[in-house]
């Protein structure tokens, strides 16, 4: 259980902590009083009987309800000691949740399911009541969202009279001028300042940056270490799948030309000619293959297991090749390899795209924007260059292809024409030109309306509206989503960047609203430092 600081807003916390301690001490004493027996079966039975005995005349609160009870009493105490009036409907809802958890946990359920589904379940609060609680913790006066884990922050905020109840009735009356200051001042405080490392990158000489990074990224596309990794992979996995055809495909930032020495090598292992098979979520057969690999890596003296991630959309095994020191992400999905082929083609015909992606990747790392992946920022660069007439749309490349290669419902090949055949200009790659277009890139995404439009390299056109994009998708998308309604493009997200090959994949679906706001602030400040005037889109709206 979390221990709060002395200056926290919790009240009479020792009482409940002692009650919990006494309860568990009493339970342990009951178990200790059980006489020793020789057989394990009798011992296990007596231990279970002792655990079911409840101490008499003992104050007990389930640990899950302690926090809720502290919070409720804290709010009540603040309402008594200040002019802020606690909303009685909110207090009732919180108490219902606390009592509901207490009763449900006393039943000692083995698992929890939704109340409207089969099996056990619990409905602590209705959806309409939950929306009232959410509105309470989203202050309209200063647009400050309170996180549920920072209870002291919530209580302090309520004591500042910013509180609005679920019925949108302002409790603390304010004058017009005071309300204006309340809205403006916290918004200014919430502006995230660009980290120093990112500022150093933005103000540094581009020639020096690209001299260091471009040469490394270009060499990493083809190095002899990859051959050793491929040979060792085949040697370690062949005994596991002796009757299956096997082939290794390398992809990712190292292969596309924007990687660094610290980058992982992504590897797709095709076991049994599964290249053309698409799985929105890994099947049992795919997971079984992945699990069968693990003992082979553990037993080998050339590999070391780092992690096994089975819950991801594309499950992977993270391993380290001890001979070369390169970490590898091994998967059983071919679309990553197809995406890398598209990026390699774009970087070959328009070198400026490669320069911009190398810079944007480094900028993203220095800003510590972990929610936005390297692949996501790469697609954003491509879309920006498409709008400036420097790159073709993926739709146009696939439309002119005489024959199509499919992975599930998705076309993965494309026509590889030169810029001259596409009637597109080759952009300058000298330092002033690159700096100028980078400034425009960051200014563009600081003004982009993420609520209405999506980043769509597939069409490569401006202002592709979120509410209409599914009507524009090709028939293969519509047919697939009709047969699999749960596999549609996730559009109800703060940020939508569509994969140009797997059209039902929003590569930024994990980006939260707060992370997007920070990204917008960083883009605006970067554009300003690069000499491109920019107004933050959040401030304009």
């Amino acid at each position: 259980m979390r221990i709060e600081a002395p200056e926290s807003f919790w009240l009479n916390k020792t009482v409940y902590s002692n009650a919990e301690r006494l309860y568990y001490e009493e339970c342990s004493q009951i178990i200790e009083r059980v006489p020793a027996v020789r057989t394990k079966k009798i011992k296990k039975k007596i231990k279970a009987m002792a655990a079911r005995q409840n101490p008499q005349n003992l104050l007990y609160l389930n640990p899950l309800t302690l926090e809720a009870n502290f919070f409720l009493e804290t709010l009540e105490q603040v309402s008594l000691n200040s002019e802020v009036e606690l909303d009685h409907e909110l207090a009732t809802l919180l108490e219902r949740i606390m009592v509901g958890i207490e009763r449900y946990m006393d039943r000692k359920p083995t698992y929890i399911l939704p109340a409207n589904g089969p099996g056990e379940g619990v409905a602590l609060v209705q959806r309409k009541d939950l929306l009232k609680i959410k509105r309470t913790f989203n202050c309209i006066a200063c647009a400050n969202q309170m996180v549920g884990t920072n209870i002291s922050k919530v209580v302090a905020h309520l004591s500042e009279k910013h509180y609005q109840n679920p019925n949108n009735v302002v409790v603390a009356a304010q004058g017009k001028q005071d309300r204006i200051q309340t809205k403006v001042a916290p918004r200014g405080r919430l502006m995230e300042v660009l980290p120093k490392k990112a500022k150093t990158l933005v103000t540094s000489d581009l020639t020096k940056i690209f001299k260091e990074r471009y040469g490394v990224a270009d060499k990493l596309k083809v190095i002899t270490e990859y051959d050793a990794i491929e040979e060792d992979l085949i040697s370690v996995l062949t005994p596991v799948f002796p009757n299956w055809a096997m082939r290794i495909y390398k992809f990712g930032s190292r292969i596309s030309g924007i990687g660094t020495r610290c980058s992982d090598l992504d590897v797709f292992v095709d076991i049994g000619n599964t290249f053309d098979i698409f799985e929105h979520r890994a099947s049992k057969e795919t997971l079984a293959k992945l699990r069968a690999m693990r003992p082979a890596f553990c037993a080998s003296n050339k590999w070391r297991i780092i992690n096994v991630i089975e819950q991801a959309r594309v499950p992977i095994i993270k391993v380290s090749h001890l001979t070369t020191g390169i970490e590898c992400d091994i998967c059983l999905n071919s679309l990553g390899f197809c995406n890398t082929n598209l990026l390699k083609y774009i970087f070959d015909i328009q070198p400026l795209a490669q320069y911009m992606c190398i810079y944007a990747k480094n900028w993203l790392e220095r800003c510590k924007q972990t929610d936005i992946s390297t692949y996501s920022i790469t697609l954003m660069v491509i879309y920006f260059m498409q709008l400036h007439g420097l790159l073709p749309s993926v739709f146009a490349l696939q439309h002119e292809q005489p024959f199509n290669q499919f992975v599930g419902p998705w076309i993965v090949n494309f026509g590889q024409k030169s810029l001259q055949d596409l009637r597109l200009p080759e952009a300058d790659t000298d330092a002033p030109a690159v700096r100028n277009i980078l400034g425009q890139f960051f200014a563009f995404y600081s003004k982009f309306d993420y609520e209405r439009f999506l980043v769509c390299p597939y069409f490569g056109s401006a202002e592709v509206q979120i509410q209409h994009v599914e009507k524009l998708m090709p028939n293969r998308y519509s047919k697939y989503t009709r047969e699999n309604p749960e596999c549609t493009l996730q559009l109800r997200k703060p940020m939508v960047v569509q994969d140009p090959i797997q059209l039902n994949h929003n590569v930024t679906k994990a980006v939260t609203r707060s992370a997007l706001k920070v990204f917008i602030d960083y883009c605006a400040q970067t554009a300003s430092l690069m000499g491109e005037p920019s107004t933050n889109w959040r401030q304009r709206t």
Side-chain angles (χ1 to χ4, degrees):
M1 182 170 295
R2 187 173 69 251
I3 300 175
E4 299 293 332
E7 62 272 13
S8 174
F9 287 86
W10 299 124
L11 305 172
N12 299 327
K13 194 164 186 177
T14 309
V15 175
Y16 301 101
S17 299
N18 290 338
E20 185 187 14
R21 178 179 55 80
L22 290 173
Y23 173 79
Y24 286 113
E25 286 181 356
E26 186 68 21
C27 289
S28 62
Q29 291 175 5
I30 292 174
I31 295 175
E32 290 174 358
R33 286 197 295 268
V34 177
V37 290
R38 293 183 179 180
T39 62
K40 292 183 178 179
K41 184 176 181 181
I42 298 176
K43 184 177 181 180
K44 184 177 181 181
K45 183 177 180 180
I46 295 177
K47 185 177 180 180
M49 293 174 59
R52 287 196 295 268
Q53 295 180 10
N54 290 326
Q56 300 295 328
N57 302 324
L58 180 65
L59 176 64
Y60 169 62
L61 285 175
N62 191 287
L64 287 178
T65 60
L66 290 176
E67 296 285 352
N69 199 33
F70 295 151
F71 182 35
L72 186 59
E73 291 195 359
T74 302
L75 290 180
E76 292 175 350
Q77 187 66 25
V78 169
S79 64
L80 294 175
N81 298 338
S82 64
E83 299 178 2
V84 178
E85 181 181 357
L86 177 65
D87 188 273
H88 297 291
E89 186 177 3
L90 172 64
T92 303
L93 292 175
L94 291 174
E95 188 172 1
R96 279 174 51 192
I97 293 175
M98 182 180 67
V99 174
I101 294 175
E102 178 66 32
R103 290 178 178 174
Y104 185 63
M105 296 306 296
D106 284 344
R107 290 161 50 191
K108 298 180 180 179
T110 56
Y111 55 90
I112 299 176
L113 294 174
N116 55 359
E120 297 188 39
V122 57
L124 301 176
V125 63
Q126 298 297 325
R127 182 175 178 81
K128 59 180 181 179
D129 296 332
L130 181 62
L131 292 176
K132 294 179 182 179
I133 296 177
K134 291 175 68 175
R135 282 199 296 270
T136 300
F137 292 100
N138 187 1
C139 180
I140 303 173
C142 67
N144 185 15
Q145 294 185 359
M146 277 71 73
V147 182
T149 55
N150 298 333
I151 305 302
S152 59
K153 179 181 177 182
V154 177
V155 177
H157 192 271
L158 295 179
S159 64
E160 292 176 0
K161 304 180 182 180
H162 289 191
Y163 173 71
Q164 285 188 316
N165 60 16
N167 297 324
N168 293 331
V169 178
V170 180
V171 176
Q174 289 180 316
K176 183 177 180 180
Q177 192 67 24
D178 295 336
R179 287 197 300 271
I180 294 175
Q181 292 179 356
T182 303
K183 292 179 180 179
V184 173
R187 190 175 291 273
R189 291 197 299 270
L190 288 175
M191 176 70 70
E192 293 290 337
V193 179
L194 192 67
K196 292 182 179 180
K197 290 185 177 180
K199 285 183 180 179
T200 303
L201 175 70
V202 174
T203 56
S204 299
D205 183 15
L206 284 182
T207 305
K208 183 179 179 181
I209 295 173
F210 288 127
K211 184 178 180 181
E212 296 174 355
R213 294 188 172 269
Y214 180 82
V216 173
D218 205 42
K219 289 179 180 178
L220 286 177
K221 291 193 292 185
V222 181
I223 56 177
T224 56
E225 284 84 349
Y226 298 157
D227 297 333
I229 291 175
E230 187 171 349
E231 292 175 3
D232 290 343
L233 263 180
I234 293 177
S235 64
V236 77
L237 295 179
T238 299
V240 182
F241 308 98
N243 301 323
W244 299 77
M246 187 180 301
R247 189 173 179 181
I248 306 297
Y249 296 87
K250 301 178 290 295
F251 66 97
S253 59
R254 277 178 171 261
I255 306 302
S256 64
I258 60 173
T260 64
R261 292 187 179 91
C262 299
S263 300
D264 297 337
L265 175 65
D266 298 298
V267 180
F268 160 53
V269 182
D270 185 0
I271 303 173
N273 296 321
T274 59
F275 190 98
D276 299 336
I277 299 176
F278 170 72
E279 295 176 345
H280 186 74
R281 286 284 177 181
S283 62
K284 293 182 179 179
E285 292 77 9
T286 301
L287 291 175
K289 290 179 181 178
L290 207 70
R291 291 166 184 166
M293 295 181 185
R294 184 172 183 172
F297 285 116
C298 293
S300 175
N301 57 1
K302 294 184 178 180
W303 299 92
R304 179 172 60 85
I305 288 278
I306 298 177
N307 196 6
V308 180
I309 305 175
E310 295 185 0
Q311 296 78 18
R313 183 183 63 88
V314 179
I316 62 172
I317 295 181
K318 297 182 72 70
V319 295
S320 176
H321 187 240
L322 300 180
T323 306
T324 61
I326 297 176
E327 293 184 1
C328 302
D329 291 348
I330 299 174
C331 71
L332 302 176
N333 188 307
S334 63
L335 285 178
F337 172 76
C338 302
N339 293 333
T340 300
N341 284 341
L342 177 63
L343 298 184
K344 287 172 65 178
Y345 163 72
I346 289 175
F347 295 159
D348 287 341
I349 64 170
Q350 193 65 275
L352 177 62
Q354 185 177 2
Y355 281 100
M356 291 185 65
C357 290
I358 290 174
Y359 187 92
K361 180 177 183 288
N362 192 11
W363 177 85
L364 205 64
E365 292 172 352
R366 296 194 179 211
C367 290
K368 297 182 180 180
Q369 287 282 286
T370 55
D371 290 344
I372 301 177
S373 64
T374 301
Y375 183 58
S376 302
I377 200 76
T378 300
L379 293 182
M380 294 172 75
V381 170
I382 292 173
Y383 180 67
F384 170 79
M385 296 186 70
Q386 288 172 336
L387 298 183
H388 284 69
L390 298 174
L391 286 175
S393 66
V394 177
F395 170 80
L397 293 175
Q398 293 181 343
H399 184 69
E400 297 179 359
Q401 183 71 9
F403 65 93
N404 295 324
Q405 180 183 356
F406 287 90
V407 171
W410 317 121
I411 298 177
V412 297
N413 62 334
F414 48 88
Q416 300 190 21
K417 294 185 176 181
S418 64
L419 287 178
Q420 185 177 1
D421 295 335
L422 295 169
R423 296 181 181 179
L424 296 176
E426 183 176 353
D428 295 332
T429 55
D430 58 331
V434 175
R435 187 173 187 84
N436 179 49
I437 198 168
L438 280 172
Q440 296 178 32
F441 166 79
F442 288 110
F444 174 77
Y445 284 109
S446 69
K447 303 173 186 177
F448 192 82
D449 192 343
Y450 295 92
E451 293 183 0
R452 294 178 56 198
F453 306 114
L454 70 154
V455 176
C456 184
Y458 178 70
F459 289 121
S461 56
E463 297 185 349
V464 181
Q465 296 189 20
I466 291 176
Q467 60 180 350
H468 297 149
V469 67
E470 288 192 299
K471 299 178 182 178
L472 304 175
M473 288 291 106
N475 292 332
R476 63 181 184 275
Y477 172 88
S478 304
K479 180 181 179 181
Y480 178 75
T481 53
R482 280 197 304 268
E483 296 173 355
N484 305 275
E486 73 282 359
C487 300
T488 57
L489 178 64
Q490 298 187 27
L491 298 172
R492 295 185 177 182
K493 296 293 181 179
M495 186 178 188
V496 183
V497 178
Q498 185 187 29
D499 191 299
I501 292 181
Q502 185 184 343
L503 299 179
N504 70 334
H505 183 207
N506 174 14
V507 299
T508 55
K509 63 181 181 295
V511 177
T512 61
R513 192 169 298 277
S514 59
L516 175 59
K517 291 178 180 179
V518 173
F519 175 76
I520 292 172
D521 290 342
Y522 287 172
C523 284
Q525 295 172 62
T526 303
S528 179
L529 289 173
M530 287 188 164
E532 180 69 22
S534 171
T535 302
N536 191 304
W537 173 73
R538 288 200 293 119
Q539 292 178 339
R540 291 192 295 107
T541 57

